[in-house]
Amino acid sequence: MILVLFALTLWAAAFALNIRLAAGPHTRAVHLAVPLIFGLTILAMWELIVRGLDVPMVILPAPSLIAGAFTDNLPVLWADLNQTFVKGALTGYAIGATAAFAVALLADRYTFLKRGLLPVGNFMAALPIVGTAPILVMWFGFDWQSKAAVVVVMVFFPILVNTVAGLTDTQAMQRDLMRTYGASYGQTLLKLRLPAAMPFIFNGLKISTTLALIGAIVAEFFGSPTLGMGFRISTSVGQLALDMVWAEIVVAALAGSAFYGIVAFIEKRVTFWHPSHRG
Amino acid sequence: MTGTTAPLSAPGAGVGRSGRVALWLRSVRTGFLPILTVIAGLILIWYFACIPMNAQQSVLLAERAGQTVTPETAADRRGMSGAAIALRNPAAAMASAFVQDRPRLPAPHQVAAELWGSTVGLAVTSKRSLVYHAWVTLSATLLGFAFGTALGILLAIGIVHSRVMDMSVMPWAIVSQTVPIIAIAPMIIVVLYSIGLQGIVPKAIISTYLSFFPVVVGMVKGLRSPDAMQLDLLRTYGSNQNQTFWKLRLPASLPYLFASLKIGICASLIGAIVGELPTGAVAGLGARLLAGSYYGQTVQIWSALFAAAILAAVLVGLIGAIEKVLLRRMGLNA
């Protein structure tokens, strides 16, 4: 009980600190510190409450136990990450993004195709595409190829829709200027419309990073070799080894955040001219 | 775009027709025709793909029926691609590409027949009725969606009104979405089962988690959408924070809310379907998918998939209709 009380006082203290920080001048440090304090407080409260109330590990393991499982099983976790993320998700992401980009260029060239493809693509992007996982696993076998295939299907439509929308995002004045320069279709595309489309394309790419990881993991529920993050999660749940499940979740969160962060970083370098990145 | 911006009175546009007919014709040309063409193209590709995808099985059937096929034994054919087999035995591959019991790729009409048979052809209470399974999934979806929307709106109100909430919660709400929650659905189901919760609630929790984020982001944007001029006006009226919220911020946020609700309901449907996977295939569209993949019932998988797609489309359409009516009554013509 004392630990729980301690957790609550810690919460109050951290919250008061955050209020003071937020009311003060907004420097870069404050912007980093406030969410960090919030996150650390949650972690500390989790640990204290789980210990204080003796929550069984089957329901919720304490963060320290999860950290232990994480460091003890590093080789296993690394192998899983390699199988699911590098082989399944990244390969599928690359293929899916390339295919979507190619189709988007085609749709952009032929207005009729665009009018038909855009509503259909928008519709498909909203569908539970994860459901195709059992079919694709049946077609491409249990190994990473089927996971990559699921990821291809999942990331295709968001990137397609965003790219097509981005390619139309130029003003008549700008296009007229290119015409007065005597620019060909290819030159207009390369020098004007593709750069203008970049914020949209990166929006699609960023949305797809998490979709890729989700697709690769969920596809493993329908059959996988004896490694992979989805496989490990479903078997560890069966063994009630929840600390291992949570360690896998930590890996997934780290990989997902890193993937998103890298794409966001590239976006910042490519679209440095965009208002949202200036200043 | 030129089609929709050209004046209706353009030369030849409305000869002998009323403006209304011309408008309708234009919507056909720029709206339905391309979409129908693309859909017809997809169905055509689908039919065509059935031939090589099912070739292995078709040729095996032909061989068993006593026809001569090349290569002659199934062992020789194992390593070959479907397209190569179909090219060498065009007649046999064509003959049974669209009528197999358990094809690798069922033809569209097989899926449509199964879909029709398991919705209209069976009593709603039957365990094989897709309506029954769709209802199981839908109830979890709606419950989770309601929770997620409520949670999302509350968080957004907090974020807009409190600087601390904004600075501390928002970054974590974003980080929370990089965790592939769907992947840990089995754990949530098992953990909740161990404390005695089962059935609809665990699935609804997964749906809640997936649907709250779009609502938070949309609502924060929407509640902040009134510009400084409008806020100043309310200040000159001497209205307090409460009144500003009810009379300005909330109405202004509705278009944003509906846009997020459409994303949220799709996310919650996905959550409910994935939530059904680890429960051991009892009931629901997800369970149909899993059972179909265990027993190689491809037609069943495809029909469950299409049922899910139709459900998603209906839900989004419903929210769109509510949005249209509500915004029109508020005088915001969306």
Side-chain angles (χ1 to χ4, degrees), chain A residues 19 22 26 35 38 58-59 112 115-116 119 123 126 131 134-135 138-139 210 214 217-218 221-222 237 242 245-246 249 257, chain B residues 1 30 34-35 37-38 53 104-105 163-164 168 172 177-178 180 182-184 187 190-191 195 266 290 293 298 301-302 305 313:
Chain A
I19 288 179
H26 282 204
F38 182 78
V58 199
I59 294 177
F112 187 80
R115 290 223 182 97
F123 176 70
I135 297 164
M138 201 177 290
W139 288 355
T210 40
I214 289 174
I217 295 179
V218 171
F221 295 162
F222 291 96
V237 165
L242 276 237
V245 178
W246 277 96
I249 294 171
S257 305
Chain B
M1 274 296 142
T30 60
I35 300 177
T37 315
V38 166
M53 286 299 285
R104 281 184 82 194
L105 176 62
R163 181 167 249 157
V164 192
S168 49
W172 290 104
Q177 294 304 302
T178 64
I182 274 195
I184 55 179
M187 186 192 66
V190 169
V191 165
I195 57 172
C266 290
L290 196 65
S293 91
T298 38
I301 301 181
W302 280 88
L305 201 57

Short mmCIF file of all heavy atoms in Angstrom, two decimals, chain A residues 19 22 26 35 38 58-59 112 115-116 119 123 126 131 134-135 138-139 210 214 217-218 221-222 237 242 245-246 249 257, chain B residues 1 30 34-35 37-38 53 104-105 163-164 168 172 177-178 180 182-184 187 190-191 195 266 290 293 298 301-302 305 313:
data_model
loop_
_atom_site.label_atom_id
_atom_site.label_comp_id
_atom_site.label_asym_id
_atom_site.label_seq_id
_atom_site.Cartn_x
_atom_site.Cartn_y
_atom_site.Cartn_z
N ILE A 19 3.38 21.50 -14.74
CA ILE A 19 2.58 22.72 -14.86
C ILE A 19 3.48 23.94 -14.78
O ILE A 19 3.36 24.89 -15.56
CB ILE A 19 1.50 22.75 -13.74
CG1 ILE A 19 0.43 21.71 -14.05
CG2 ILE A 19 0.88 24.13 -13.63
CD1 ILE A 19 -0.67 21.64 -13.03
N ALA A 22 5.45 24.22 -17.99
CA ALA A 22 4.64 24.62 -19.15
C ALA A 22 4.27 26.09 -19.07
O ALA A 22 4.09 26.75 -20.09
CB ALA A 22 3.38 23.76 -19.22
N HIS A 26 9.10 28.98 -23.14
CA HIS A 26 9.11 27.75 -23.93
C HIS A 26 10.41 27.60 -24.70
O HIS A 26 10.51 27.98 -25.86
CB HIS A 26 7.94 27.75 -24.91
CG HIS A 26 6.66 27.40 -24.23
ND1 HIS A 26 5.59 26.87 -24.88
CD2 HIS A 26 6.31 27.49 -22.95
CE1 HIS A 26 4.62 26.65 -24.01
NE2 HIS A 26 5.03 27.04 -22.83
N PRO A 35 7.18 16.16 -21.96
CA PRO A 35 6.72 14.80 -22.27
C PRO A 35 7.60 13.73 -21.64
O PRO A 35 7.11 12.66 -21.27
CB PRO A 35 6.79 14.72 -23.80
CG PRO A 35 7.58 15.88 -24.24
CD PRO A 35 7.53 16.90 -23.17
N PHE A 38 6.55 13.24 -18.12
CA PHE A 38 5.27 12.54 -18.14
C PHE A 38 5.47 11.05 -18.36
O PHE A 38 4.94 10.21 -17.62
CB PHE A 38 4.40 13.14 -19.26
CG PHE A 38 3.03 12.55 -19.37
CD1 PHE A 38 2.03 12.93 -18.49
CD2 PHE A 38 2.73 11.62 -20.35
CE1 PHE A 38 0.77 12.39 -18.58
CE2 PHE A 38 1.47 11.07 -20.45
CZ PHE A 38 0.48 11.46 -19.56
N VAL A 58 1.08 -12.61 -14.92
CA VAL A 58 0.27 -13.02 -16.06
C VAL A 58 -0.56 -11.85 -16.58
O VAL A 58 -0.91 -11.80 -17.75
CB VAL A 58 -0.67 -14.16 -15.63
CG1 VAL A 58 -1.16 -14.90 -16.84
CG2 VAL A 58 0.00 -15.07 -14.65
N ILE A 59 -0.89 -10.93 -15.68
CA ILE A 59 -1.73 -9.82 -16.11
C ILE A 59 -0.87 -8.65 -16.59
O ILE A 59 -1.03 -8.18 -17.70
CB ILE A 59 -2.66 -9.38 -14.96
CG1 ILE A 59 -3.65 -10.50 -14.68
CG2 ILE A 59 -3.38 -8.10 -15.32
CD1 ILE A 59 -4.58 -10.24 -13.54
N PHE A 112 -8.40 9.60 -67.48
CA PHE A 112 -9.50 8.65 -67.33
C PHE A 112 -9.18 7.63 -66.24
O PHE A 112 -9.99 7.34 -65.36
CB PHE A 112 -9.73 7.94 -68.67
CG PHE A 112 -10.94 7.07 -68.69
CD1 PHE A 112 -12.19 7.61 -68.86
CD2 PHE A 112 -10.82 5.70 -68.53
CE1 PHE A 112 -13.31 6.82 -68.88
CE2 PHE A 112 -11.93 4.90 -68.54
CZ PHE A 112 -13.19 5.45 -68.72
N ARG A 115 -9.46 9.22 -62.78
CA ARG A 115 -10.84 9.39 -62.31
C ARG A 115 -11.41 8.09 -61.78
O ARG A 115 -12.23 8.08 -60.88
CB ARG A 115 -11.72 9.91 -63.44
CG ARG A 115 -11.41 11.34 -63.81
CD ARG A 115 -12.68 12.14 -64.02
NE ARG A 115 -12.33 13.50 -64.42
CZ ARG A 115 -12.31 13.90 -65.68
NH1 ARG A 115 -12.64 13.06 -66.65
NH2 ARG A 115 -11.97 15.12 -65.97
N GLY A 116 -11.00 6.98 -62.42
CA GLY A 116 -11.51 5.70 -61.96
C GLY A 116 -10.73 5.15 -60.79
O GLY A 116 -11.29 4.58 -59.86
N PRO A 119 -11.11 7.01 -56.71
CA PRO A 119 -12.16 6.57 -55.79
C PRO A 119 -11.99 5.12 -55.35
O PRO A 119 -12.15 4.80 -54.18
CB PRO A 119 -13.45 6.73 -56.61
CG PRO A 119 -13.11 7.64 -57.72
CD PRO A 119 -11.66 7.45 -58.01
N PHE A 123 -11.29 3.87 -51.56
CA PHE A 123 -12.14 2.85 -50.95
C PHE A 123 -11.28 1.70 -50.41
O PHE A 123 -11.44 1.28 -49.26
CB PHE A 123 -13.13 2.35 -51.99
CG PHE A 123 -14.01 1.24 -51.53
CD1 PHE A 123 -15.00 1.48 -50.59
CD2 PHE A 123 -13.85 -0.03 -52.02
CE1 PHE A 123 -15.81 0.45 -50.16
CE2 PHE A 123 -14.65 -1.06 -51.58
CZ PHE A 123 -15.64 -0.82 -50.65
N ALA A 126 -9.40 2.12 -47.16
CA ALA A 126 -10.17 2.09 -45.92
C ALA A 126 -10.55 0.67 -45.52
O ALA A 126 -11.05 0.45 -44.43
CB ALA A 126 -11.44 2.93 -46.07
N GLY A 131 -7.06 -8.58 -43.66
CA GLY A 131 -7.78 -9.82 -43.90
C GLY A 131 -7.25 -10.63 -45.06
O GLY A 131 -7.54 -11.82 -45.17
N PRO A 134 -4.44 -14.36 -44.63
CA PRO A 134 -4.51 -15.82 -44.78
C PRO A 134 -4.37 -16.26 -46.23
O PRO A 134 -3.72 -17.28 -46.52
CB PRO A 134 -5.90 -16.17 -44.24
CG PRO A 134 -6.64 -14.90 -44.13
CD PRO A 134 -5.62 -13.84 -43.94
N ILE A 135 -4.93 -15.48 -47.17
CA ILE A 135 -4.85 -15.85 -48.58
C ILE A 135 -3.41 -15.77 -49.06
O ILE A 135 -2.90 -16.69 -49.70
CB ILE A 135 -5.73 -14.89 -49.41
CG1 ILE A 135 -7.19 -15.05 -49.00
CG2 ILE A 135 -5.55 -15.15 -50.89
CD1 ILE A 135 -8.08 -13.93 -49.46
N MET A 138 -1.27 -18.48 -47.84
CA MET A 138 -1.54 -19.71 -48.58
C MET A 138 -0.79 -19.71 -49.92
O MET A 138 -0.30 -20.73 -50.38
CB MET A 138 -3.04 -19.79 -48.83
CG MET A 138 -3.56 -21.18 -49.12
SD MET A 138 -5.33 -21.11 -49.31
CE MET A 138 -5.89 -20.78 -47.67
N TRP A 139 -0.71 -18.54 -50.54
CA TRP A 139 -0.08 -18.46 -51.87
C TRP A 139 1.43 -18.47 -51.80
O TRP A 139 2.09 -19.11 -52.61
CB TRP A 139 -0.51 -17.18 -52.59
CG TRP A 139 -1.92 -17.20 -53.07
CD1 TRP A 139 -2.78 -18.25 -53.00
CD2 TRP A 139 -2.64 -16.13 -53.67
NE1 TRP A 139 -3.99 -17.90 -53.52
CE2 TRP A 139 -3.94 -16.60 -53.94
CE3 TRP A 139 -2.32 -14.82 -53.99
CZ2 TRP A 139 -4.91 -15.81 -54.53
CZ3 TRP A 139 -3.28 -14.03 -54.59
CH2 TRP A 139 -4.57 -14.52 -54.85
N THR A 210 3.94 2.40 -40.13
CA THR A 210 3.33 1.58 -39.09
C THR A 210 2.50 0.45 -39.71
O THR A 210 2.47 -0.65 -39.18
CB THR A 210 2.42 2.41 -38.17
OG1 THR A 210 1.72 3.33 -38.96
CG2 THR A 210 3.24 3.13 -37.14
N ILE A 214 2.68 -3.59 -38.82
CA ILE A 214 1.46 -4.30 -38.43
C ILE A 214 1.21 -5.47 -39.37
O ILE A 214 0.96 -6.60 -38.95
CB ILE A 214 0.25 -3.35 -38.44
CG1 ILE A 214 0.35 -2.37 -37.29
CG2 ILE A 214 -1.05 -4.13 -38.34
CD1 ILE A 214 -0.72 -1.31 -37.30
N ILE A 217 3.60 -8.41 -38.84
CA ILE A 217 3.39 -9.15 -37.59
C ILE A 217 2.09 -9.95 -37.66
O ILE A 217 2.06 -11.13 -37.30
CB ILE A 217 3.39 -8.20 -36.38
CG1 ILE A 217 4.78 -7.57 -36.23
CG2 ILE A 217 3.01 -8.93 -35.12
CD1 ILE A 217 4.89 -6.60 -35.09
N VAL A 218 1.02 -9.32 -38.13
CA VAL A 218 -0.27 -10.02 -38.15
C VAL A 218 -0.23 -11.21 -39.10
O VAL A 218 -0.81 -12.26 -38.83
CB VAL A 218 -1.41 -9.05 -38.51
CG1 VAL A 218 -2.70 -9.81 -38.75
CG2 VAL A 218 -1.61 -8.05 -37.40
N PHE A 221 0.55 -14.55 -37.68
CA PHE A 221 -0.45 -15.31 -36.94
C PHE A 221 -1.05 -16.42 -37.79
O PHE A 221 -1.60 -17.38 -37.28
CB PHE A 221 -1.59 -14.41 -36.45
CG PHE A 221 -1.16 -13.38 -35.46
CD1 PHE A 221 -1.95 -12.28 -35.21
CD2 PHE A 221 0.01 -13.53 -34.75
CE1 PHE A 221 -1.56 -11.32 -34.30
CE2 PHE A 221 0.41 -12.58 -33.83
CZ PHE A 221 -0.38 -11.48 -33.61
N PHE A 222 -0.97 -16.27 -39.12
CA PHE A 222 -1.59 -17.26 -40.01
C PHE A 222 -0.59 -18.32 -40.45
O PHE A 222 -0.86 -19.09 -41.35
CB PHE A 222 -2.19 -16.57 -41.23
CG PHE A 222 -3.39 -15.75 -40.90
CD1 PHE A 222 -3.27 -14.40 -40.67
CD2 PHE A 222 -4.63 -16.34 -40.79
CE1 PHE A 222 -4.38 -13.63 -40.36
CE2 PHE A 222 -5.75 -15.58 -40.47
CZ PHE A 222 -5.62 -14.24 -40.26
N VAL A 237 2.39 -15.80 -25.54
CA VAL A 237 1.09 -15.63 -24.89
C VAL A 237 0.56 -17.00 -24.47
O VAL A 237 0.05 -17.17 -23.36
CB VAL A 237 0.08 -14.93 -25.82
CG1 VAL A 237 -1.32 -15.08 -25.30
CG2 VAL A 237 0.42 -13.46 -25.95
N LEU A 242 4.46 -13.40 -20.22
CA LEU A 242 4.11 -12.06 -20.63
C LEU A 242 5.27 -11.09 -20.66
O LEU A 242 5.25 -10.11 -21.40
CB LEU A 242 3.01 -11.50 -19.71
CG LEU A 242 1.57 -11.87 -20.02
CD1 LEU A 242 0.73 -10.65 -20.21
CD2 LEU A 242 1.43 -12.75 -21.24
N VAL A 245 6.51 -11.25 -24.10
CA VAL A 245 5.61 -10.55 -25.01
C VAL A 245 5.88 -9.06 -24.97
O VAL A 245 5.99 -8.39 -25.99
CB VAL A 245 4.14 -10.83 -24.65
CG1 VAL A 245 3.21 -10.06 -25.57
CG2 VAL A 245 3.84 -12.30 -24.74
N TRP A 246 5.99 -8.54 -23.74
CA TRP A 246 6.21 -7.10 -23.59
C TRP A 246 7.57 -6.69 -24.14
O TRP A 246 7.70 -5.61 -24.72
CB TRP A 246 6.07 -6.68 -22.12
CG TRP A 246 4.65 -6.47 -21.74
CD1 TRP A 246 3.84 -7.38 -21.15
CD2 TRP A 246 3.86 -5.31 -21.95
NE1 TRP A 246 2.58 -6.85 -20.98
CE2 TRP A 246 2.57 -5.58 -21.46
CE3 TRP A 246 4.11 -4.06 -22.51
CZ2 TRP A 246 1.54 -4.65 -21.51
CZ3 TRP A 246 3.09 -3.13 -22.56
CH2 TRP A 246 1.81 -3.42 -22.06
N ILE A 249 7.07 -6.32 -27.64
CA ILE A 249 6.35 -5.07 -27.92
C ILE A 249 7.30 -3.88 -27.90
O ILE A 249 7.23 -2.99 -28.74
CB ILE A 249 5.21 -4.86 -26.89
CG1 ILE A 249 4.16 -5.94 -27.07
CG2 ILE A 249 4.59 -3.48 -27.06
CD1 ILE A 249 3.13 -5.95 -25.99
N SER A 257 9.09 3.26 -34.24
CA SER A 257 9.43 4.67 -34.06
C SER A 257 10.66 5.03 -34.88
O SER A 257 10.72 6.11 -35.49
CB SER A 257 9.69 4.97 -32.58
OG SER A 257 8.60 4.57 -31.81
N MET B 1 -10.32 17.65 -64.60
CA MET B 1 -10.96 18.76 -63.91
C MET B 1 -11.73 19.65 -64.86
O MET B 1 -12.71 20.26 -64.46
CB MET B 1 -9.90 19.62 -63.18
CG MET B 1 -9.57 19.06 -61.79
SD MET B 1 -11.01 19.16 -60.78
CE MET B 1 -10.99 17.73 -59.81
N THR B 30 -17.85 11.97 -65.94
CA THR B 30 -16.69 12.22 -65.10
C THR B 30 -16.73 11.40 -63.82
O THR B 30 -15.73 11.29 -63.14
CB THR B 30 -16.60 13.70 -64.72
OG1 THR B 30 -17.78 14.03 -64.01
CG2 THR B 30 -16.45 14.58 -65.93
N PRO B 34 -15.51 6.17 -65.48
CA PRO B 34 -14.13 5.73 -65.20
C PRO B 34 -14.08 4.72 -64.06
O PRO B 34 -13.34 3.73 -64.13
CB PRO B 34 -13.41 7.01 -64.79
CG PRO B 34 -14.26 8.12 -65.31
CD PRO B 34 -15.66 7.61 -65.31
N ILE B 35 -14.90 4.93 -63.03
CA ILE B 35 -14.88 4.01 -61.89
C ILE B 35 -15.33 2.62 -62.34
O ILE B 35 -14.69 1.61 -62.02
CB ILE B 35 -15.78 4.53 -60.75
CG1 ILE B 35 -15.29 5.89 -60.29
CG2 ILE B 35 -15.80 3.55 -59.59
CD1 ILE B 35 -16.15 6.50 -59.23
N THR B 37 -15.22 1.42 -65.30
CA THR B 37 -14.20 0.83 -66.16
C THR B 37 -13.10 0.19 -65.33
O THR B 37 -12.66 -0.94 -65.60
CB THR B 37 -13.58 1.91 -67.06
OG1 THR B 37 -14.63 2.70 -67.59
CG2 THR B 37 -12.79 1.27 -68.18
N VAL B 38 -12.64 0.92 -64.32
CA VAL B 38 -11.55 0.37 -63.49
C VAL B 38 -12.01 -0.89 -62.78
O VAL B 38 -11.29 -1.90 -62.75
CB VAL B 38 -11.08 1.43 -62.47
CG1 VAL B 38 -10.21 0.80 -61.41
CG2 VAL B 38 -10.31 2.52 -63.19
N MET B 53 -3.38 -19.42 -61.64
CA MET B 53 -3.36 -19.70 -60.20
C MET B 53 -3.92 -21.10 -59.91
O MET B 53 -3.46 -21.79 -59.02
CB MET B 53 -4.19 -18.66 -59.44
CG MET B 53 -3.57 -17.31 -59.31
SD MET B 53 -2.00 -17.30 -58.44
CE MET B 53 -2.54 -17.51 -56.76
N ARG B 104 -7.12 -22.17 -55.52
CA ARG B 104 -6.18 -21.25 -54.87
C ARG B 104 -6.72 -19.83 -54.97
O ARG B 104 -6.57 -19.03 -54.07
CB ARG B 104 -4.81 -21.33 -55.54
CG ARG B 104 -4.00 -22.53 -55.11
CD ARG B 104 -2.64 -22.48 -55.75
NE ARG B 104 -1.75 -21.61 -55.01
CZ ARG B 104 -0.59 -21.18 -55.50
NH1 ARG B 104 -0.22 -21.54 -56.71
NH2 ARG B 104 0.18 -20.41 -54.79
N LEU B 105 -7.31 -19.53 -56.13
CA LEU B 105 -7.95 -18.23 -56.30
C LEU B 105 -9.36 -18.47 -56.82
O LEU B 105 -9.53 -18.83 -57.98
CB LEU B 105 -7.16 -17.37 -57.30
CG LEU B 105 -7.77 -16.01 -57.65
CD1 LEU B 105 -7.88 -15.14 -56.42
CD2 LEU B 105 -6.94 -15.31 -58.70
N ARG B 163 -2.43 23.61 -21.39
CA ARG B 163 -1.12 23.59 -22.02
C ARG B 163 -0.31 22.38 -21.58
O ARG B 163 0.43 21.79 -22.37
CB ARG B 163 -0.42 24.89 -21.66
CG ARG B 163 0.92 25.01 -22.28
CD ARG B 163 1.41 26.42 -22.15
NE ARG B 163 1.44 27.07 -23.42
CZ ARG B 163 1.40 28.38 -23.58
NH1 ARG B 163 1.28 29.15 -22.55
NH2 ARG B 163 1.48 28.90 -24.77
N VAL B 164 -0.44 22.02 -20.29
CA VAL B 164 0.33 20.87 -19.79
C VAL B 164 -0.10 19.59 -20.51
O VAL B 164 0.74 18.80 -20.93
CB VAL B 164 0.09 20.66 -18.27
CG1 VAL B 164 1.10 19.67 -17.73
CG2 VAL B 164 0.14 21.96 -17.54
N SER B 168 2.38 17.33 -22.67
CA SER B 168 2.81 16.02 -22.17
C SER B 168 2.08 14.85 -22.83
O SER B 168 2.68 13.80 -23.04
CB SER B 168 2.66 15.94 -20.64
OG SER B 168 1.40 16.39 -20.24
N TRP B 172 3.06 11.52 -26.61
CA TRP B 172 2.88 10.10 -26.29
C TRP B 172 1.74 9.47 -27.06
O TRP B 172 1.77 8.29 -27.38
CB TRP B 172 2.70 9.89 -24.78
CG TRP B 172 3.98 10.18 -24.08
CD1 TRP B 172 4.29 11.28 -23.36
CD2 TRP B 172 5.15 9.36 -24.09
NE1 TRP B 172 5.57 11.21 -22.93
CE2 TRP B 172 6.13 10.05 -23.35
CE3 TRP B 172 5.48 8.13 -24.64
CZ2 TRP B 172 7.41 9.53 -23.15
CZ3 TRP B 172 6.76 7.62 -24.46
CH2 TRP B 172 7.70 8.31 -23.72
N GLN B 177 0.93 5.30 -31.31
CA GLN B 177 0.47 4.76 -32.59
C GLN B 177 1.56 4.03 -33.36
O GLN B 177 1.28 3.33 -34.32
CB GLN B 177 -0.11 5.88 -33.45
CG GLN B 177 -1.36 6.46 -32.86
CD GLN B 177 -2.43 5.41 -32.61
OE1 GLN B 177 -2.85 4.72 -33.51
NE2 GLN B 177 -2.85 5.27 -31.35
N THR B 178 2.83 4.24 -32.97
CA THR B 178 3.88 3.48 -33.64
C THR B 178 3.99 2.07 -33.04
O THR B 178 4.65 1.23 -33.60
CB THR B 178 5.24 4.17 -33.55
OG1 THR B 178 5.63 4.21 -32.18
CG2 THR B 178 5.20 5.56 -34.11
N PRO B 180 2.61 -1.32 -32.82
CA PRO B 180 1.60 -2.05 -33.59
C PRO B 180 0.65 -2.78 -32.66
O PRO B 180 0.80 -3.96 -32.41
CB PRO B 180 2.41 -3.00 -34.45
CG PRO B 180 3.72 -3.12 -33.78
CD PRO B 180 3.94 -1.90 -32.97
N ILE B 182 -2.22 -3.87 -32.92
CA ILE B 182 -2.91 -5.02 -33.49
C ILE B 182 -2.11 -6.28 -33.24
O ILE B 182 -2.65 -7.35 -33.02
CB ILE B 182 -3.08 -4.77 -35.00
CG1 ILE B 182 -4.36 -3.98 -35.19
CG2 ILE B 182 -3.11 -6.05 -35.76
CD1 ILE B 182 -4.82 -3.97 -36.59
N ALA B 183 -0.78 -6.12 -33.24
CA ALA B 183 0.07 -7.28 -33.06
C ALA B 183 -0.01 -7.84 -31.65
O ALA B 183 0.29 -9.00 -31.42
CB ALA B 183 1.51 -6.92 -33.40
N ILE B 184 -0.39 -6.99 -30.69
CA ILE B 184 -0.44 -7.50 -29.33
C ILE B 184 -1.87 -7.81 -28.91
O ILE B 184 -2.15 -8.07 -27.75
CB ILE B 184 0.22 -6.53 -28.33
CG1 ILE B 184 -0.39 -5.16 -28.45
CG2 ILE B 184 1.70 -6.49 -28.58
CD1 ILE B 184 0.19 -4.19 -27.48
N MET B 187 -2.41 -10.84 -26.77
CA MET B 187 -2.07 -10.70 -25.36
C MET B 187 -3.21 -10.04 -24.60
O MET B 187 -3.58 -10.48 -23.51
CB MET B 187 -0.81 -9.88 -25.22
CG MET B 187 -0.35 -9.83 -23.80
SD MET B 187 0.90 -8.61 -23.58
CE MET B 187 -0.03 -7.15 -23.88
N VAL B 190 -5.92 -12.55 -24.01
CA VAL B 190 -5.59 -13.56 -22.99
C VAL B 190 -5.59 -12.96 -21.59
O VAL B 190 -6.11 -13.53 -20.64
CB VAL B 190 -4.24 -14.23 -23.31
CG1 VAL B 190 -3.76 -15.07 -22.14
CG2 VAL B 190 -4.35 -15.07 -24.56
N VAL B 191 -4.98 -11.75 -21.48
CA VAL B 191 -4.89 -11.12 -20.16
C VAL B 191 -6.29 -10.81 -19.62
O VAL B 191 -6.61 -11.09 -18.47
CB VAL B 191 -4.05 -9.82 -20.25
CG1 VAL B 191 -4.25 -8.98 -19.02
CG2 VAL B 191 -2.59 -10.17 -20.43
N ILE B 195 -8.58 -12.32 -16.19
CA ILE B 195 -9.28 -11.65 -15.10
C ILE B 195 -10.78 -11.71 -15.30
O ILE B 195 -11.53 -10.94 -14.72
CB ILE B 195 -8.81 -10.18 -14.92
CG1 ILE B 195 -8.98 -9.40 -16.21
CG2 ILE B 195 -7.38 -10.12 -14.44
CD1 ILE B 195 -8.73 -7.91 -16.05
N CYS B 266 -13.28 2.68 -39.54
CA CYS B 266 -12.53 1.65 -40.29
C CYS B 266 -11.50 1.01 -39.38
O CYS B 266 -11.36 -0.22 -39.35
CB CYS B 266 -11.83 2.26 -41.49
SG CYS B 266 -12.95 2.78 -42.76
N LEU B 290 -9.97 -17.10 -40.13
CA LEU B 290 -9.03 -18.06 -39.55
C LEU B 290 -9.47 -19.49 -39.83
O LEU B 290 -8.66 -20.32 -40.25
CB LEU B 290 -8.93 -17.82 -38.04
CG LEU B 290 -7.73 -18.46 -37.37
CD1 LEU B 290 -6.45 -17.82 -37.87
CD2 LEU B 290 -7.81 -18.30 -35.85
N SER B 293 -8.76 -20.39 -43.31
CA SER B 293 -7.36 -20.65 -43.62
C SER B 293 -6.89 -21.96 -43.01
O SER B 293 -6.01 -22.62 -43.56
CB SER B 293 -6.48 -19.48 -43.17
OG SER B 293 -6.02 -19.65 -41.87
N THR B 298 -10.95 -21.63 -49.37
CA THR B 298 -10.61 -20.32 -49.90
C THR B 298 -11.85 -19.48 -50.20
O THR B 298 -11.84 -18.28 -49.98
CB THR B 298 -9.79 -20.45 -51.18
OG1 THR B 298 -10.30 -21.55 -51.92
CG2 THR B 298 -8.34 -20.68 -50.87
N ILE B 301 -12.90 -17.78 -47.12
CA ILE B 301 -12.05 -16.64 -46.76
C ILE B 301 -12.42 -15.42 -47.59
O ILE B 301 -12.61 -14.33 -47.06
CB ILE B 301 -10.56 -16.96 -47.02
CG1 ILE B 301 -10.12 -18.17 -46.20
CG2 ILE B 301 -9.70 -15.77 -46.68
CD1 ILE B 301 -8.67 -18.51 -46.41
N TRP B 302 -12.54 -15.64 -48.90
CA TRP B 302 -12.83 -14.49 -49.76
C TRP B 302 -14.19 -13.89 -49.45
O TRP B 302 -14.35 -12.66 -49.48
CB TRP B 302 -12.77 -14.90 -51.23
CG TRP B 302 -11.36 -14.98 -51.74
CD1 TRP B 302 -10.54 -16.06 -51.68
CD2 TRP B 302 -10.60 -13.92 -52.33
NE1 TRP B 302 -9.32 -15.74 -52.21
CE2 TRP B 302 -9.33 -14.44 -52.63
CE3 TRP B 302 -10.89 -12.60 -52.65
CZ2 TRP B 302 -8.33 -13.69 -53.22
CZ3 TRP B 302 -9.90 -11.84 -53.24
CH2 TRP B 302 -8.64 -12.39 -53.53
N LEU B 305 -13.92 -11.86 -46.39
CA LEU B 305 -13.19 -10.64 -46.69
C LEU B 305 -14.11 -9.60 -47.34
O LEU B 305 -14.10 -8.42 -46.98
CB LEU B 305 -12.05 -10.99 -47.64
CG LEU B 305 -10.88 -10.04 -47.74
CD1 LEU B 305 -10.27 -9.85 -46.37
CD2 LEU B 305 -9.85 -10.60 -48.70
N ALA B 313 -17.71 -0.31 -45.90
CA ALA B 313 -18.28 0.68 -46.81
C ALA B 313 -19.59 1.22 -46.27
O ALA B 313 -19.86 2.43 -46.30
CB ALA B 313 -18.48 0.06 -48.19
#
